[in-house]
Amino acid sequence: MKDSVTITIPSHPGYLSMVRDVTARFGEIHNLSEAVIADLKLGVDEACSNVIKYAYRGATEGEIVITLRIMGKDLEVIIEDEGVRADPACIEGRNLDDVRPGGLGLHLIKRAFHVYEFDEGRRSGNRLRLVRHLR
Amino acid sequence: MKDSVTITIPSHPGYLSMVRDVTARFGEIHNLSEAVIADLKLGVDEACSNVIKYAYRGATEGEIVITLRIMGKDLEVIIEDEGVRADPACIEGRNLDDVRPGGLGLHLIKRAFHVYEFDEGRRSGNRLRLVRHLR
Amino acid sequence: MTIEMDKYRDATVMRLSGEIDMYSSPGLRKELLSLVAERVSPLIVDFRGVSYIDSSGIATFVEGLKGMRSFGGRLKFVAVPEGIMEIFTFSKLDRVFEIYGSADEALSG
Amino acid sequence: MTIEMDKYRDATVMRLSGEIDMYSSPGLRKELLSLVAERVSPLIVDFRGVSYIDSSGIATFVEGLKGMRSFGGRLKFVAVPEGIMEIFTFSKLDRVFEIYGSADEALSG
Ligand SMILES: Nc1ncnc2c1ncn2[C@@H]1O[C@H](COP(=O)(O)OP(=O)(O)O)[C@@H](O)[C@H]1O
Ligand SMILES: Nc1ncnc2c1ncn2[C@@H]1O[C@H](COP(=O)(O)OP(=O)(O)O)[C@@H](O)[C@H]1O
């Protein structure tokens, strides 16, 4: 089975559920466990939420392009936008012991994925690469 | 809400369920009724199945690009492939009274959509346009 | 889609659940045709857990029915959910398939 | 996500179902903050029907909890499904939220 799908959605929170559906189906098609699928759904959702909040600053007419693929023993997710450039140095989750609203998303992304890296060579917008090692 | 999504899948039957999920969510996001959503899921699935069967002749490494969008009072679905050109003159469903396997897909597509037309101006592959009037 | 085989009184019961589409229907076809080859009759297909069926699933049952008839066997559908029933009716297959509310009705019908 | 308000003994119960995400959490936030403004306590949040929660949903509850505490109110969670509980635990919020098996336990706790 060829193992790549791409979905393009508006940068509107109403479409996050669709991204979760696609992620879950992708996981099912590739026989991942329910627990792994739950983590992946949440991780991809949080990464797309951050694109809406930070790259598009809440504007809902942007585009988010999400590609899921299997590369050998890895599941790779690429999330692209044409919004404001992220400064990877400023991206940091909060200390989980310091309970306050916010600052949890990054932890949930990193719970699901072993690699979280921005493609720095890109001219405009952002390209985030997430990798989960499957075995 | 910007109202267009695009999903690209391999021409493999295992991905039809993902297309149905996306179609159903699109319908929910746009407040369509459950009955309409059921028809749309089936119609889009049948159209994609035909791309796999006829445009790609069962090959699973092709690409199918499905775009769903709201255009005024219409829901439009565009299905694109790079397979063998369809001859619209040869596309015909069977008489439903003549019970035999096959020949039902087109009826189910036309149950869901008021417009079923191939873009004849396209250079290669196919571009099928489906429209459902929503009101 | 999952297929579970069972016995009920003197019938064989095939319990289906999940989605029957172009991906899963070849598995269903294989199972149905092997039951036809073994001349299993009556065969009751329980649709209770079926959430989706497309034209490839319907084509598979039309083929299965023809196979059953070839040796005088009986194919009976039970517990067909409303959404699935609507597709059967639309396809005019409600006139061709024997459809019952329950296995007991199917066996006395 | 849907919110249903109810009464149980002398508590107010908020029954949630569906998915709590960046799209639906603003509606939840509005409801929670209006209950805080009315100084409703104890408030029991019933998670039985919740199939999904993301960080925006969690942030909303952290904010709600701070609001409740500002006037000495009590916020109690009941019937938290396993998958949701795991997110609470991971976020170390199981230490901050009062979580009970049922409304009765919540009211005697
Ligand atoms: N895609 C992004 N672009 C720019 N900044 C980001 C992005 N994702 C996260 N950040 C930064 O990292 C911080 C932590 O992110 P996160 O853990 O998701 O929590 P939250 O969004 O709730 O603050 C954010 O507050 C933000 O400053
Ligand atoms: N996308 C397509 N490209 C080429 N031919 C098609 C396409 N869709 C349908 N057809 C033709 O129309 C006929 C009827 O299609 P359909 O009703 O879906 O039934 P079935 O695929 O079961 O034969 C097909 O047998 C085929 O010859």
Side-chain angles (χ1 to χ4, degrees), chain A residues 46-57 81 84-88 90-94 100-109 116 118 126 128, chain D residues 55-56 59:
Chain A
E46 295 289 345
C48 292
S49 295
N50 282 349
V51 169
I52 298 175
K53 286 195 286 185
Y54 303 113
Y56 289 117
R57 314 241 151 125
D81 65 65
V84 178
R85 291 297 287 275
D87 178 356
C90 299
I91 300 185
E92 208 184 355
R94 66 165 158 83
R100 55 176 176 76
L104 194 57
L106 212 63
H107 288 289
L108 294 170
I109 299 171
Y116 171 96
F118 283 90
N126 299 288
L128 174 63
Chain D
S55 70
S56 72

Side-chain angles (χ1 to χ4, degrees), chain A residues 25, chain B residues 20 38 41-42, chain C residues 1-4 13-21 24-25 28 44-58 61 76-88:
Chain A
R25 275 292 186 181
Chain B
R20 294 196 298 271
K41 272 169 71 170
L42 187 51
Chain C
M1 184 205 59
T2 57
I3 303 179
E4 246 180 71
V13 181
M14 173 187 259
R15 275 185 231 293
L16 298 177
S17 55
E19 302 170 302
I20 307 176
D21 68 358
S24 56
S25 59
L28 173 63
I44 294 180
V45 181
D46 184 334
F47 278 82
R48 201 175 314 270
V50 177
S51 53
Y52 181 81
I53 191 164
D54 76 352
S55 71
S56 72
I58 295 202
F61 283 115
K76 301 177 181 213
F77 290 178
V78 301
V80 179
E82 203 186 302
I84 310 290
M85 192 60 214
E86 216 185 286
I87 306 299
F88 287 161

